[in-house]
Amino acid sequence: MRPPSGRSRSPLAWATAVMLVSLVALALAGPPVWGAAADRPDLSAVLQGPSAAHPFGTDSLGRDLLARILTAARPSLLLALAAVVLGATAGILLGACTAVLGRRGRRLTGGLINLLLAFPALLVAMFLAVVFGAGATGAVLALAAAAVPGFARLAQTLAAGVAGTDHLAAARVLGLRRHRLLWRHVLPNIAEPLLLAVTTAGGTALVALSGLSFLGLGVQAPGYDWGQLLSQGLDRIYAEPVPALAPGVAVLYAALTFQLLGEVLATHVARRATVARGPAPVLAPSGPAEDGLVLQVEDLTVELPTAGGTIRPVRGVCLSLRPGEIVGLVGESGSGKSLTALAVADLLPYGARTSRRTLRLHGEDLSALTPKERDRRLATGLSMIFQNPASALNPSLRIATQLTEAVRAHRGASRASAAAEAADALRRVALAPALMRARPHQLSGGQRQRVMIASGLMVRPGLVIADEPTTALDVTVQRQITRLLTDLRRDTSAAILFISHDVALVGEFCDRILVMYAGTVVEGLPVDRLADGARHPYTRALIASVPDLGADRDRPLPTIEGSPPDPLAPEAGCPFAPRCARRQDRCAEQAPPLEELDAHHRVACWYPVPAATPEAVTAS
């Protein structure tokens, strides 16, 4: 082992490196160098104590104990490592698969892990060693099986942190199979702590294996390991303690080496980190299709379980998009914009439930498809650009891998052709193909967002959902991203649903705007009417809240007084009524429906702002 570089070369790291190198050298050189002496009997030197010829004494056949201890290093270490590798592999796969299984599979797997953890590992190992039969093979299998529950619980806990990340959700949108999700998106992101656990488990397995051999359940004669040598020397420990203590010291030395190795690796990982710093929705048959629509959603509702009860953050949402159309979805934080997009993409968090009257993508009723077919339609017909590209991109994979895996999975493209398409996609978003070898942390925020757009281009979708793609980006990069989306619409005729809380930004490049408040669409209108044709008081308040460089700087910026309603305690009537200056008694009694003012304008308000009114109606 080479000690960690730089400032991490502590005395502990150097000592651990020396101990590990000595163990490796002993395992490699032991049998060839001392094997003959270890197996050579000498009846004239039976059961002798330490001497110049035999520093640790001899056994009942006169064989040199020092040679036997040195030779036993290889089988002792290899058997212990074999048990760890087998147990860790089975346990990690069992625990990590909970991040990619459905709700029922996740529950059953979690219950199985809890059941296995109820039995003490050492007792399980002893019981299984008897069942499998005394011997090296039975001992290894018994220790491996006993180690499975511990590794499974650790992997399950670590995988739970990956299961909710955006990059795993993005991979689900691409329709990747569960084994690809597991191998490429879950395991690489939990590898470091698992490696540390495997390292420290090596010492535990060595002690346990020696214990089984000591009890006669492990290695059998004529083979031998440190545990068996300890058992043979125990009979004369009071007369000659060295033959009994020497194998025990060897076990202690090796176990301590593994433990120290884990500590050194953990310290190195922590220092580097410091420096580097659901279930399927409820689907009913959809309503009648409308010709020429890329996306048709009617009466979409989302329910989420919480500690205080079930809430409905999205209620009765209706929206539609035509080819080549950019529709903006705006509203305050918490208005239900992102949940609406996640419901369309079938990416709602665990426990969420959806219902709707119609959900069609490219004219196809998604509820009429099997889950596998629905996932494939969503993966190839829809692309999602998440708000935070740093978490939406898998940090452990190169950009090339993340761009090409969907094409290879769904279209069967070769590695070379997929790479060529990825390079072309990067050029279309004004990035150099050389970035394909980079990892996400090596890119700037704007570059990562462009990579997300390029990833969406790879599957040639008819619908792109951009969930606040310009958040936390500077104004120049914001304009670049919106320009790229506009070019994407022009070149591919894809429909784009652009989600944002910035009504000014949406008003610059969208064709239509839908305004959401408290989980419902309160107004939908063409963008050219936004400035002076908005009729809902909330829309007018959003417009009035946009900073104006020509405004009087001595006056405070306009805001919308009050706060959105509590989703745990919904009240009757219009949800915006408590903040609205135009409220009347009817507003508190009955929620207004979303009604058409004309063919292109809908509003949900009992008393809408009169058309062509220059004043901006704000909340009182």
mmCIF file with all atom_site columns, all heavy atoms in Angstrom, residues 294-319:
data_model
loop_
_atom_site.group_PDB
_atom_site.id
_atom_site.type_symbol
_atom_site.label_atom_id
_atom_site.label_alt_id
_atom_site.label_comp_id
_atom_site.label_asym_id
_atom_site.label_entity_id
_atom_site.label_seq_id
_atom_site.pdbx_PDB_ins_code
_atom_site.Cartn_x
_atom_site.Cartn_y
_atom_site.Cartn_z
_atom_site.occupancy
_atom_site.B_iso_or_equiv
_atom_site.pdbx_formal_charge
_atom_site.auth_seq_id
_atom_site.auth_comp_id
_atom_site.auth_asym_id
_atom_site.auth_atom_id
_atom_site.pdbx_PDB_model_num
ATOM 1   N N   . VAL A 1 294 ? -49.092 17.576 -28.853 1.00 0.00 ? 294 VAL A N   1
ATOM 2   C CA  . VAL A 1 294 ? -47.986 16.765 -28.364 1.00 0.00 ? 294 VAL A CA  1
ATOM 3   C C   . VAL A 1 294 ? -48.286 16.254 -26.962 1.00 0.00 ? 294 VAL A C   1
ATOM 4   O O   . VAL A 1 294 ? -48.046 15.092 -26.632 1.00 0.00 ? 294 VAL A O   1
ATOM 5   C CB  . VAL A 1 294 ? -46.687 17.586 -28.370 1.00 0.00 ? 294 VAL A CB  1
ATOM 6   C CG1 . VAL A 1 294 ? -45.556 16.797 -27.725 1.00 0.00 ? 294 VAL A CG1 1
ATOM 7   C CG2 . VAL A 1 294 ? -46.311 17.970 -29.783 1.00 0.00 ? 294 VAL A CG2 1
ATOM 8   N N   . LEU A 1 295 ? -48.831 17.117 -26.120 1.00 0.00 ? 295 LEU A N   1
ATOM 9   C CA  . LEU A 1 295 ? -49.185 16.758 -24.751 1.00 0.00 ? 295 LEU A CA  1
ATOM 10  C C   . LEU A 1 295 ? -50.592 17.249 -24.462 1.00 0.00 ? 295 LEU A C   1
ATOM 11  O O   . LEU A 1 295 ? -50.934 18.395 -24.763 1.00 0.00 ? 295 LEU A O   1
ATOM 12  C CB  . LEU A 1 295 ? -48.206 17.383 -23.753 1.00 0.00 ? 295 LEU A CB  1
ATOM 13  C CG  . LEU A 1 295 ? -48.509 17.153 -22.263 1.00 0.00 ? 295 LEU A CG  1
ATOM 14  C CD1 . LEU A 1 295 ? -48.353 15.683 -21.910 1.00 0.00 ? 295 LEU A CD1 1
ATOM 15  C CD2 . LEU A 1 295 ? -47.611 18.009 -21.374 1.00 0.00 ? 295 LEU A CD2 1
ATOM 16  N N   . GLN A 1 296 ? -51.400 16.373 -23.891 1.00 0.00 ? 296 GLN A N   1
ATOM 17  C CA  . GLN A 1 296 ? -52.766 16.725 -23.507 1.00 0.00 ? 296 GLN A CA  1
ATOM 18  C C   . GLN A 1 296 ? -53.007 16.218 -22.087 1.00 0.00 ? 296 GLN A C   1
ATOM 19  O O   . GLN A 1 296 ? -52.996 15.013 -21.840 1.00 0.00 ? 296 GLN A O   1
ATOM 20  C CB  . GLN A 1 296 ? -53.783 16.109 -24.473 1.00 0.00 ? 296 GLN A CB  1
ATOM 21  C CG  . GLN A 1 296 ? -55.226 16.463 -24.148 1.00 0.00 ? 296 GLN A CG  1
ATOM 22  C CD  . GLN A 1 296 ? -56.213 15.795 -25.095 1.00 0.00 ? 296 GLN A CD  1
ATOM 23  O OE1 . GLN A 1 296 ? -55.820 15.049 -25.997 1.00 0.00 ? 296 GLN A OE1 1
ATOM 24  N NE2 . GLN A 1 296 ? -57.499 16.056 -24.900 1.00 0.00 ? 296 GLN A NE2 1
ATOM 25  N N   . VAL A 1 297 ? -53.186 17.141 -21.146 1.00 0.00 ? 297 VAL A N   1
ATOM 26  C CA  . VAL A 1 297 ? -53.427 16.804 -19.747 1.00 0.00 ? 297 VAL A CA  1
ATOM 27  C C   . VAL A 1 297 ? -54.707 17.496 -19.310 1.00 0.00 ? 297 VAL A C   1
ATOM 28  O O   . VAL A 1 297 ? -54.871 18.703 -19.517 1.00 0.00 ? 297 VAL A O   1
ATOM 29  C CB  . VAL A 1 297 ? -52.255 17.256 -18.850 1.00 0.00 ? 297 VAL A CB  1
ATOM 30  C CG1 . VAL A 1 297 ? -52.537 16.914 -17.391 1.00 0.00 ? 297 VAL A CG1 1
ATOM 31  C CG2 . VAL A 1 297 ? -50.955 16.608 -19.301 1.00 0.00 ? 297 VAL A CG2 1
ATOM 32  N N   . GLU A 1 298 ? -55.596 16.735 -18.696 1.00 0.00 ? 298 GLU A N   1
ATOM 33  C CA  . GLU A 1 298 ? -56.860 17.295 -18.208 1.00 0.00 ? 298 GLU A CA  1
ATOM 34  C C   . GLU A 1 298 ? -57.118 16.809 -16.791 1.00 0.00 ? 298 GLU A C   1
ATOM 35  O O   . GLU A 1 298 ? -56.994 15.611 -16.503 1.00 0.00 ? 298 GLU A O   1
ATOM 36  C CB  . GLU A 1 298 ? -58.021 16.898 -19.120 1.00 0.00 ? 298 GLU A CB  1
ATOM 37  C CG  . GLU A 1 298 ? -57.924 17.458 -20.532 1.00 0.00 ? 298 GLU A CG  1
ATOM 38  C CD  . GLU A 1 298 ? -59.092 17.028 -21.405 1.00 0.00 ? 298 GLU A CD  1
ATOM 39  O OE1 . GLU A 1 298 ? -59.952 16.265 -20.907 1.00 0.00 ? 298 GLU A OE1 1
ATOM 40  O OE2 . GLU A 1 298 ? -59.140 17.426 -22.578 1.00 0.00 ? 298 GLU A OE2 1
ATOM 41  N N   . ASP A 1 299 ? -57.466 17.753 -15.926 1.00 0.00 ? 299 ASP A N   1
ATOM 42  C CA  . ASP A 1 299 ? -57.880 17.471 -14.553 1.00 0.00 ? 299 ASP A CA  1
ATOM 43  C C   . ASP A 1 299 ? -56.842 16.643 -13.798 1.00 0.00 ? 299 ASP A C   1
ATOM 44  O O   . ASP A 1 299 ? -57.163 15.639 -13.163 1.00 0.00 ? 299 ASP A O   1
ATOM 45  C CB  . ASP A 1 299 ? -59.233 16.755 -14.543 1.00 0.00 ? 299 ASP A CB  1
ATOM 46  C CG  . ASP A 1 299 ? -59.923 16.851 -13.194 1.00 0.00 ? 299 ASP A CG  1
ATOM 47  O OD1 . ASP A 1 299 ? -59.543 17.728 -12.401 1.00 0.00 ? 299 ASP A OD1 1
ATOM 48  O OD2 . ASP A 1 299 ? -60.835 16.036 -12.927 1.00 0.00 ? 299 ASP A OD2 1
ATOM 49  N N   . LEU A 1 300 ? -55.587 17.081 -13.831 1.00 0.00 ? 300 LEU A N   1
ATOM 50  C CA  . LEU A 1 300 ? -54.498 16.386 -13.136 1.00 0.00 ? 300 LEU A CA  1
ATOM 51  C C   . LEU A 1 300 ? -54.479 16.786 -11.667 1.00 0.00 ? 300 LEU A C   1
ATOM 52  O O   . LEU A 1 300 ? -54.478 17.970 -11.331 1.00 0.00 ? 300 LEU A O   1
ATOM 53  C CB  . LEU A 1 300 ? -53.162 16.733 -13.788 1.00 0.00 ? 300 LEU A CB  1
ATOM 54  C CG  . LEU A 1 300 ? -51.906 16.187 -13.100 1.00 0.00 ? 300 LEU A CG  1
ATOM 55  C CD1 . LEU A 1 300 ? -51.859 14.672 -13.197 1.00 0.00 ? 300 LEU A CD1 1
ATOM 56  C CD2 . LEU A 1 300 ? -50.655 16.803 -13.698 1.00 0.00 ? 300 LEU A CD2 1
ATOM 57  N N   . THR A 1 301 ? -54.444 15.797 -10.797 1.00 0.00 ? 301 THR A N   1
ATOM 58  C CA  . THR A 1 301 ? -54.402 16.022 -9.351  1.00 0.00 ? 301 THR A CA  1
ATOM 59  C C   . THR A 1 301 ? -53.303 15.157 -8.753  1.00 0.00 ? 301 THR A C   1
ATOM 60  O O   . THR A 1 301 ? -53.145 13.994 -9.132  1.00 0.00 ? 301 THR A O   1
ATOM 61  C CB  . THR A 1 301 ? -55.744 15.679 -8.692  1.00 0.00 ? 301 THR A CB  1
ATOM 62  O OG1 . THR A 1 301 ? -56.763 16.548 -9.215  1.00 0.00 ? 301 THR A OG1 1
ATOM 63  C CG2 . THR A 1 301 ? -55.676 15.851 -7.174  1.00 0.00 ? 301 THR A CG2 1
ATOM 64  N N   . VAL A 1 302 ? -52.528 15.729 -7.825  1.00 0.00 ? 302 VAL A N   1
ATOM 65  C CA  . VAL A 1 302 ? -51.454 15.011 -7.142  1.00 0.00 ? 302 VAL A CA  1
ATOM 66  C C   . VAL A 1 302 ? -51.712 15.076 -5.650  1.00 0.00 ? 302 VAL A C   1
ATOM 67  O O   . VAL A 1 302 ? -52.004 16.149 -5.108  1.00 0.00 ? 302 VAL A O   1
ATOM 68  C CB  . VAL A 1 302 ? -50.071 15.609 -7.466  1.00 0.00 ? 302 VAL A CB  1
ATOM 69  C CG1 . VAL A 1 302 ? -48.973 14.903 -6.666  1.00 0.00 ? 302 VAL A CG1 1
ATOM 70  C CG2 . VAL A 1 302 ? -49.785 15.515 -8.956  1.00 0.00 ? 302 VAL A CG2 1
ATOM 71  N N   . GLU A 1 303 ? -51.602 13.942 -4.975  1.00 0.00 ? 303 GLU A N   1
ATOM 72  C CA  . GLU A 1 303 ? -51.744 13.867 -3.526  1.00 0.00 ? 303 GLU A CA  1
ATOM 73  C C   . GLU A 1 303 ? -50.441 13.361 -2.915  1.00 0.00 ? 303 GLU A C   1
ATOM 74  O O   . GLU A 1 303 ? -49.832 12.413 -3.429  1.00 0.00 ? 303 GLU A O   1
ATOM 75  C CB  . GLU A 1 303 ? -52.894 12.935 -3.134  1.00 0.00 ? 303 GLU A CB  1
ATOM 76  C CG  . GLU A 1 303 ? -54.267 13.437 -3.565  1.00 0.00 ? 303 GLU A CG  1
ATOM 77  C CD  . GLU A 1 303 ? -55.387 12.523 -3.103  1.00 0.00 ? 303 GLU A CD  1
ATOM 78  O OE1 . GLU A 1 303 ? -55.064 11.407 -2.638  1.00 0.00 ? 303 GLU A OE1 1
ATOM 79  O OE2 . GLU A 1 303 ? -56.559 12.908 -3.206  1.00 0.00 ? 303 GLU A OE2 1
ATOM 80  N N   . LEU A 1 304 ? -50.036 13.983 -1.817  1.00 0.00 ? 304 LEU A N   1
ATOM 81  C CA  . LEU A 1 304 ? -48.809 13.603 -1.129  1.00 0.00 ? 304 LEU A CA  1
ATOM 82  C C   . LEU A 1 304 ? -49.114 13.318 0.334   1.00 0.00 ? 304 LEU A C   1
ATOM 83  O O   . LEU A 1 304 ? -49.758 14.127 1.009   1.00 0.00 ? 304 LEU A O   1
ATOM 84  C CB  . LEU A 1 304 ? -47.759 14.714 -1.214  1.00 0.00 ? 304 LEU A CB  1
ATOM 85  C CG  . LEU A 1 304 ? -47.177 15.041 -2.595  1.00 0.00 ? 304 LEU A CG  1
ATOM 86  C CD1 . LEU A 1 304 ? -46.235 16.229 -2.480  1.00 0.00 ? 304 LEU A CD1 1
ATOM 87  C CD2 . LEU A 1 304 ? -46.450 13.841 -3.163  1.00 0.00 ? 304 LEU A CD2 1
ATOM 88  N N   . PRO A 1 305 ? -48.666 12.178 0.864   1.00 0.00 ? 305 PRO A N   1
ATOM 89  C CA  . PRO A 1 305 ? -48.838 11.915 2.301   1.00 0.00 ? 305 PRO A CA  1
ATOM 90  C C   . PRO A 1 305 ? -47.806 12.679 3.117   1.00 0.00 ? 305 PRO A C   1
ATOM 91  O O   . PRO A 1 305 ? -46.631 12.741 2.764   1.00 0.00 ? 305 PRO A O   1
ATOM 92  C CB  . PRO A 1 305 ? -48.611 10.400 2.397   1.00 0.00 ? 305 PRO A CB  1
ATOM 93  C CG  . PRO A 1 305 ? -47.705 10.083 1.253   1.00 0.00 ? 305 PRO A CG  1
ATOM 94  C CD  . PRO A 1 305 ? -48.042 11.057 0.151   1.00 0.00 ? 305 PRO A CD  1
ATOM 95  N N   . THR A 1 306 ? -48.231 13.294 4.205   1.00 0.00 ? 306 THR A N   1
ATOM 96  C CA  . THR A 1 306 ? -47.335 13.991 5.125   1.00 0.00 ? 306 THR A CA  1
ATOM 97  C C   . THR A 1 306 ? -47.662 13.581 6.546   1.00 0.00 ? 306 THR A C   1
ATOM 98  O O   . THR A 1 306 ? -48.665 12.903 6.799   1.00 0.00 ? 306 THR A O   1
ATOM 99  C CB  . THR A 1 306 ? -47.468 15.518 4.981   1.00 0.00 ? 306 THR A CB  1
ATOM 100 O OG1 . THR A 1 306 ? -48.766 15.915 5.462   1.00 0.00 ? 306 THR A OG1 1
ATOM 101 C CG2 . THR A 1 306 ? -47.315 15.957 3.530   1.00 0.00 ? 306 THR A CG2 1
ATOM 102 N N   . ALA A 1 307 ? -46.802 13.987 7.468   1.00 0.00 ? 307 ALA A N   1
ATOM 103 C CA  . ALA A 1 307 ? -47.042 13.657 8.873   1.00 0.00 ? 307 ALA A CA  1
ATOM 104 C C   . ALA A 1 307 ? -48.341 14.282 9.378   1.00 0.00 ? 307 ALA A C   1
ATOM 105 O O   . ALA A 1 307 ? -48.988 13.755 10.285  1.00 0.00 ? 307 ALA A O   1
ATOM 106 C CB  . ALA A 1 307 ? -45.862 14.127 9.728   1.00 0.00 ? 307 ALA A CB  1
ATOM 107 N N   . GLY A 1 308 ? -48.729 15.427 8.798   1.00 0.00 ? 308 GLY A N   1
ATOM 108 C CA  . GLY A 1 308 ? -49.951 16.093 9.233   1.00 0.00 ? 308 GLY A CA  1
ATOM 109 C C   . GLY A 1 308 ? -51.189 15.689 8.455   1.00 0.00 ? 308 GLY A C   1
ATOM 110 O O   . GLY A 1 308 ? -52.274 16.199 8.719   1.00 0.00 ? 308 GLY A O   1
ATOM 111 N N   . GLY A 1 309 ? -51.044 14.775 7.492   1.00 0.00 ? 309 GLY A N   1
ATOM 112 C CA  . GLY A 1 309 ? -52.179 14.344 6.685   1.00 0.00 ? 309 GLY A CA  1
ATOM 113 C C   . GLY A 1 309 ? -51.858 14.440 5.199   1.00 0.00 ? 309 GLY A C   1
ATOM 114 O O   . GLY A 1 309 ? -50.764 14.855 4.799   1.00 0.00 ? 309 GLY A O   1
ATOM 115 N N   . THR A 1 310 ? -52.798 14.059 4.385   1.00 0.00 ? 310 THR A N   1
ATOM 116 C CA  . THR A 1 310 ? -52.607 14.085 2.937   1.00 0.00 ? 310 THR A CA  1
ATOM 117 C C   . THR A 1 310 ? -52.884 15.481 2.397   1.00 0.00 ? 310 THR A C   1
ATOM 118 O O   . THR A 1 310 ? -53.884 16.119 2.764   1.00 0.00 ? 310 THR A O   1
ATOM 119 C CB  . THR A 1 310 ? -53.551 13.075 2.254   1.00 0.00 ? 310 THR A CB  1
ATOM 120 O OG1 . THR A 1 310 ? -53.254 11.759 2.754   1.00 0.00 ? 310 THR A OG1 1
ATOM 121 C CG2 . THR A 1 310 ? -53.361 13.084 0.749   1.00 0.00 ? 310 THR A CG2 1
ATOM 122 N N   . ILE A 1 311 ? -51.993 15.964 1.545   1.00 0.00 ? 311 ILE A N   1
ATOM 123 C CA  . ILE A 1 311 ? -52.186 17.273 0.920   1.00 0.00 ? 311 ILE A CA  1
ATOM 124 C C   . ILE A 1 311 ? -52.344 17.086 -0.583  1.00 0.00 ? 311 ILE A C   1
ATOM 125 O O   . ILE A 1 311 ? -51.943 16.069 -1.148  1.00 0.00 ? 311 ILE A O   1
ATOM 126 C CB  . ILE A 1 311 ? -51.002 18.219 1.219   1.00 0.00 ? 311 ILE A CB  1
ATOM 127 C CG1 . ILE A 1 311 ? -49.708 17.658 0.630   1.00 0.00 ? 311 ILE A CG1 1
ATOM 128 C CG2 . ILE A 1 311 ? -50.861 18.449 2.708   1.00 0.00 ? 311 ILE A CG2 1
ATOM 129 C CD1 . ILE A 1 311 ? -48.529 18.606 0.749   1.00 0.00 ? 311 ILE A CD1 1
ATOM 130 N N   . ARG A 1 312 ? -52.915 18.099 -1.222  1.00 0.00 ? 312 ARG A N   1
ATOM 131 C CA  . ARG A 1 312 ? -53.125 18.074 -2.676  1.00 0.00 ? 312 ARG A CA  1
ATOM 132 C C   . ARG A 1 312 ? -52.444 19.308 -3.273  1.00 0.00 ? 312 ARG A C   1
ATOM 133 O O   . ARG A 1 312 ? -53.084 20.330 -3.509  1.00 0.00 ? 312 ARG A O   1
ATOM 134 C CB  . ARG A 1 312 ? -54.616 18.058 -2.995  1.00 0.00 ? 312 ARG A CB  1
ATOM 135 C CG  . ARG A 1 312 ? -55.347 16.826 -2.455  1.00 0.00 ? 312 ARG A CG  1
ATOM 136 C CD  . ARG A 1 312 ? -56.845 16.961 -2.646  1.00 0.00 ? 312 ARG A CD  1
ATOM 137 N NE  . ARG A 1 312 ? -57.202 16.956 -4.061  1.00 0.00 ? 312 ARG A NE  1
ATOM 138 C CZ  . ARG A 1 312 ? -58.410 17.309 -4.522  1.00 0.00 ? 312 ARG A CZ  1
ATOM 139 N NH1 . ARG A 1 312 ? -59.343 17.708 -3.674  1.00 0.00 ? 312 ARG A NH1 1
ATOM 140 N NH2 . ARG A 1 312 ? -58.659 17.257 -5.809  1.00 0.00 ? 312 ARG A NH2 1
ATOM 141 N N   . PRO A 1 313 ? -51.137 19.212 -3.515  1.00 0.00 ? 313 PRO A N   1
ATOM 142 C CA  . PRO A 1 313 ? -50.410 20.382 -4.021  1.00 0.00 ? 313 PRO A CA  1
ATOM 143 C C   . PRO A 1 313 ? -50.717 20.701 -5.481  1.00 0.00 ? 313 PRO A C   1
ATOM 144 O O   . PRO A 1 313 ? -50.364 21.786 -5.948  1.00 0.00 ? 313 PRO A O   1
ATOM 145 C CB  . PRO A 1 313 ? -48.948 19.977 -3.841  1.00 0.00 ? 313 PRO A CB  1
ATOM 146 C CG  . PRO A 1 313 ? -48.959 18.491 -3.884  1.00 0.00 ? 313 PRO A CG  1
ATOM 147 C CD  . PRO A 1 313 ? -50.254 18.067 -3.268  1.00 0.00 ? 313 PRO A CD  1
ATOM 148 N N   . VAL A 1 314 ? -51.322 19.769 -6.214  1.00 0.00 ? 314 VAL A N   1
ATOM 149 C CA  . VAL A 1 314 ? -51.749 20.013 -7.594  1.00 0.00 ? 314 VAL A CA  1
ATOM 150 C C   . VAL A 1 314 ? -53.201 19.574 -7.697  1.00 0.00 ? 314 VAL A C   1
ATOM 151 O O   . VAL A 1 314 ? -53.534 18.434 -7.346  1.00 0.00 ? 314 VAL A O   1
ATOM 152 C CB  . VAL A 1 314 ? -50.874 19.249 -8.604  1.00 0.00 ? 314 VAL A CB  1
ATOM 153 C CG1 . VAL A 1 314 ? -51.391 19.450 -10.021 1.00 0.00 ? 314 VAL A CG1 1
ATOM 154 C CG2 . VAL A 1 314 ? -49.421 19.690 -8.506  1.00 0.00 ? 314 VAL A CG2 1
ATOM 155 N N   . ARG A 1 315 ? -54.075 20.489 -8.209  1.00 0.00 ? 315 ARG A N   1
ATOM 156 C CA  . ARG A 1 315 ? -55.509 20.199 -8.221  1.00 0.00 ? 315 ARG A CA  1
ATOM 157 C C   . ARG A 1 315 ? -56.130 20.641 -9.544  1.00 0.00 ? 315 ARG A C   1
ATOM 158 O O   . ARG A 1 315 ? -56.139 21.828 -9.862  1.00 0.00 ? 315 ARG A O   1
ATOM 159 C CB  . ARG A 1 315 ? -56.219 20.917 -7.067  1.00 0.00 ? 315 ARG A CB  1
ATOM 160 C CG  . ARG A 1 315 ? -55.741 20.488 -5.691  1.00 0.00 ? 315 ARG A CG  1
ATOM 161 C CD  . ARG A 1 315 ? -56.365 21.281 -4.557  1.00 0.00 ? 315 ARG A CD  1
ATOM 162 N NE  . ARG A 1 315 ? -55.836 22.645 -4.501  1.00 0.00 ? 315 ARG A NE  1
ATOM 163 C CZ  . ARG A 1 315 ? -56.545 23.728 -4.747  1.00 0.00 ? 315 ARG A CZ  1
ATOM 164 N NH1 . ARG A 1 315 ? -57.827 23.632 -5.080  1.00 0.00 ? 315 ARG A NH1 1
ATOM 165 N NH2 . ARG A 1 315 ? -55.995 24.924 -4.661  1.00 0.00 ? 315 ARG A NH2 1
ATOM 166 N N   . GLY A 1 316 ? -56.597 19.662 -10.302 1.00 0.00 ? 316 GLY A N   1
ATOM 167 C CA  . GLY A 1 316 ? -57.374 19.952 -11.499 1.00 0.00 ? 316 GLY A CA  1
ATOM 168 C C   . GLY A 1 316 ? -56.629 20.711 -12.584 1.00 0.00 ? 316 GLY A C   1
ATOM 169 O O   . GLY A 1 316 ? -57.234 21.544 -13.278 1.00 0.00 ? 316 GLY A O   1
ATOM 170 N N   . VAL A 1 317 ? -55.354 20.443 -12.777 1.00 0.00 ? 317 VAL A N   1
ATOM 171 C CA  . VAL A 1 317 ? -54.563 21.168 -13.772 1.00 0.00 ? 317 VAL A CA  1
ATOM 172 C C   . VAL A 1 317 ? -54.868 20.643 -15.177 1.00 0.00 ? 317 VAL A C   1
ATOM 173 O O   . VAL A 1 317 ? -54.905 19.431 -15.405 1.00 0.00 ? 317 VAL A O   1
ATOM 174 C CB  . VAL A 1 317 ? -53.059 21.036 -13.469 1.00 0.00 ? 317 VAL A CB  1
ATOM 175 C CG1 . VAL A 1 317 ? -52.212 21.552 -14.627 1.00 0.00 ? 317 VAL A CG1 1
ATOM 176 C CG2 . VAL A 1 317 ? -52.727 21.795 -12.189 1.00 0.00 ? 317 VAL A CG2 1
ATOM 177 N N   . CYS A 1 318 ? -55.067 21.558 -16.109 1.00 0.00 ? 318 CYS A N   1
ATOM 178 C CA  . CYS A 1 318 ? -55.267 21.218 -17.518 1.00 0.00 ? 318 CYS A CA  1
ATOM 179 C C   . CYS A 1 318 ? -54.244 22.005 -18.343 1.00 0.00 ? 318 CYS A C   1
ATOM 180 O O   . CYS A 1 318 ? -54.083 23.211 -18.145 1.00 0.00 ? 318 CYS A O   1
ATOM 181 C CB  . CYS A 1 318 ? -56.677 21.573 -17.988 1.00 0.00 ? 318 CYS A CB  1
ATOM 182 S SG  . CYS A 1 318 ? -58.001 20.708 -17.112 1.00 0.00 ? 318 CYS A SG  1
ATOM 183 N N   . LEU A 1 319 ? -53.575 21.315 -19.230 1.00 0.00 ? 319 LEU A N   1
ATOM 184 C CA  . LEU A 1 319 ? -52.637 22.003 -20.121 1.00 0.00 ? 319 LEU A CA  1
ATOM 185 C C   . LEU A 1 319 ? -52.460 21.177 -21.382 1.00 0.00 ? 319 LEU A C   1
ATOM 186 O O   . LEU A 1 319 ? -52.686 19.962 -21.395 1.00 0.00 ? 319 LEU A O   1
ATOM 187 C CB  . LEU A 1 319 ? -51.290 22.251 -19.437 1.00 0.00 ? 319 LEU A CB  1
ATOM 188 C CG  . LEU A 1 319 ? -50.488 21.048 -18.923 1.00 0.00 ? 319 LEU A CG  1
ATOM 189 C CD1 . LEU A 1 319 ? -49.526 20.530 -19.986 1.00 0.00 ? 319 LEU A CD1 1
ATOM 190 C CD2 . LEU A 1 319 ? -49.689 21.442 -17.680 1.00 0.00 ? 319 LEU A CD2 1
#
